[in-house]
Amino acid sequence: MDVFARLRSRRRRRADRARVAGAASAELASTAYAVGGAQTPGVPRRVSPDPTAAAFFDVDNTLLRGASIFWFARGLAARDYFTVRDLAGFAWKHLKFRATSTEDVEDISGARDTALAFVAGRRVDEIVEHGEEIYDELLAARIWSGTRAFAQLHLDAGQRVWLVTAAPVELAELLARRLGLTGALGTVAETRDGIYTGRLVGDLLHGPAKAEAIRALAAREKLDLDRCVAYSDSINDLPMLTVTGGAVAINPDAPLRRLARARGWEVHDFRTGRRAAKYVLPVGLAAVAFLAGYRYRRHHVSRS
């Protein structure tokens, strides 16, 4: 097989995994949030439903400051799912994410593999229960109020609002429920008899997989994608931003900011002091995060 044939084969495999991941995520979302008839969670009953329009929000650095999986890992570390060394690795990747406002595929894959390894053999309901606590401890205060306000505008217009994220679908659903949104599309981890196997269904819901999930959900929910809007901070979400009729850049990285301006998309930035963060020595940042994470872990354990 020549080089070009191998590249084509690799692309096909990636596309297949993206389709599987998207379909699995959409299937869970449409099942989990079909309850309640036409009434959309979070929408006042005086609002007339607009069933063919919806909004799709990325999570990390769009809705929530930083990477949700790293904050979730920090909460699990406090519950002895990770060692202090593991937490330091998560902290470094989180700080890299915050300083550059970009998603590194290798970092995301590494976080995925680590998380899968530590939840393998754990019960789903156990992880979900911890997730509820971690939301209150670490996630709630990091929601961007500006992005939440945009989501509410869609809800108040009778439209449904879904989160779309590479984070585990259980964490994504928790965020959606706590924020009064319609539902969530996230990475689906394989389970057997209510226990995580340590494998994914398809691949991470990232890049093209997000667009596949939105298409699959739109087909099930009879959405008109031309009437839908997607929100993201990252150029990595270009497939998601272009699968809908409208796109909005929230806290955008530099490539997305340039593209948004070129295409006439709305741009909103809720960050403060972001430029200064890029000039702080990475080693110093990592040390601060390491110590903060370690102290948080000790404090949490001492209280329990």
Side-chain angles (χ1 to χ4, degrees):
M1 183 181 293
D2 61 31
V3 174
F4 293 108
R6 285 198 296 272
L7 287 173
R8 287 193 296 270
S9 177
R10 185 179 301 173
R11 290 193 191 100
R12 283 196 296 271
R13 290 196 298 273
R14 287 177 179 171
D16 289 342
R17 290 198 300 270
R19 281 191 291 271
V20 171
S25 186
E27 182 177 1
L28 282 181
S30 60
T31 300
Y33 296 97
V35 179
Q39 176 65 25
T40 302
V43 178
R45 291 194 176 274
R46 67 178 181 275
V47 174
S48 298
D50 186 355
T52 64
F56 298 93
F57 285 79
D58 170 56
V59 172
D60 296 346
N61 217 36
T62 303
L63 176 69
L64 181 136
R65 292 194 296 274
S68 55
I69 188 65
F70 297 138
W71 290 116
F72 190 56
R74 178 171 163 178
L76 290 178
R79 292 158 176 81
D80 294 323
Y81 278 69
F82 301 95
T83 66
V84 172
R85 178 176 295 179
D86 296 323
L87 181 60
F90 272 95
W92 168 252
K93 290 172 183 177
H94 171 69
L95 284 162
K96 180 179 177 183
F97 178 91
R98 287 293 304 277
T100 62
S101 298
T102 60
E103 299 172 3
D104 186 289
V105 175
E106 292 184 3
D107 284 349
I108 292 171
S109 296
R112 172 203 64 187
D113 293 340
T114 301
L116 285 172
F118 278 89
V119 301
R122 301 276 189 170
R123 294 194 58 81
V124 175
D125 54 5
E126 172 190 346
I127 299 298
V128 170
E129 181 179 352
H130 289 324
E132 296 283 353
E133 299 166 354
I134 293 168
Y135 177 87
D136 292 327
E137 294 165 5
L138 297 172
L139 298 178
R142 291 179 168 85
I143 300 296
W144 292 109
S145 59
T147 307
R148 178 66 186 86
F150 276 117
Q152 191 62 48
L153 286 175
H154 288 280
L155 293 172
D156 291 344
Q159 300 171 3
R160 288 173 284 179
V161 176
W162 276 278
L163 301 180
V164 188
T165 176
V169 67
E170 292 84 2
L171 177 57
E173 289 174 347
L174 186 155
L175 286 168
R177 178 168 49 78
R178 286 297 195 95
L179 294 171
L181 308 181
T182 309
L185 298 163
T187 297
V188 180
E190 183 184 78
T191 62
R192 186 172 300 164
D193 299 325
I195 297 174
Y196 290 107
T197 66
R199 294 185 293 271
L200 290 182
V201 178
D203 206 345
L204 280 173
L205 202 73
H206 183 263
K210 287 188 176 182
E212 293 290 349
I214 290 172
R215 288 191 190 97
L217 183 65
R220 286 186 173 86
E221 299 294 321
K222 296 181 173 55
L223 298 173
D224 179 354
L225 284 177
D226 287 338
R227 299 191 63 233
C228 295
V229 183
Y231 295 76
S232 179
D233 72 295
S234 174
I235 195 67
N236 293 315
D237 281 337
L238 188 57
M240 165 182 163
L241 291 167
T242 54
V243 78
T244 56
V248 180
I250 300 288
N251 306 326
D253 57 28
L256 180 58
R257 185 181 293 273
R258 289 193 296 270
L259 181 66
R261 287 173 175 168
R263 298 194 177 187
W265 294 346
E266 286 187 37
V267 177
H268 300 276
D269 204 321
F270 305 121
R271 297 167 294 185
T272 58
R274 64 187 186 280
R275 295 186 184 277
K278 296 182 180 182
Y279 297 97
V280 179
L281 288 176
V283 173
L285 280 170
V288 170
F290 176 85
L291 291 172
Y294 179 66
R295 288 168 183 163
Y296 170 82
R297 182 174 182 270
R298 290 188 62 187
H299 177 67
H300 184 93
V301 171
S302 66
R303 290 171 56 192
S304 59

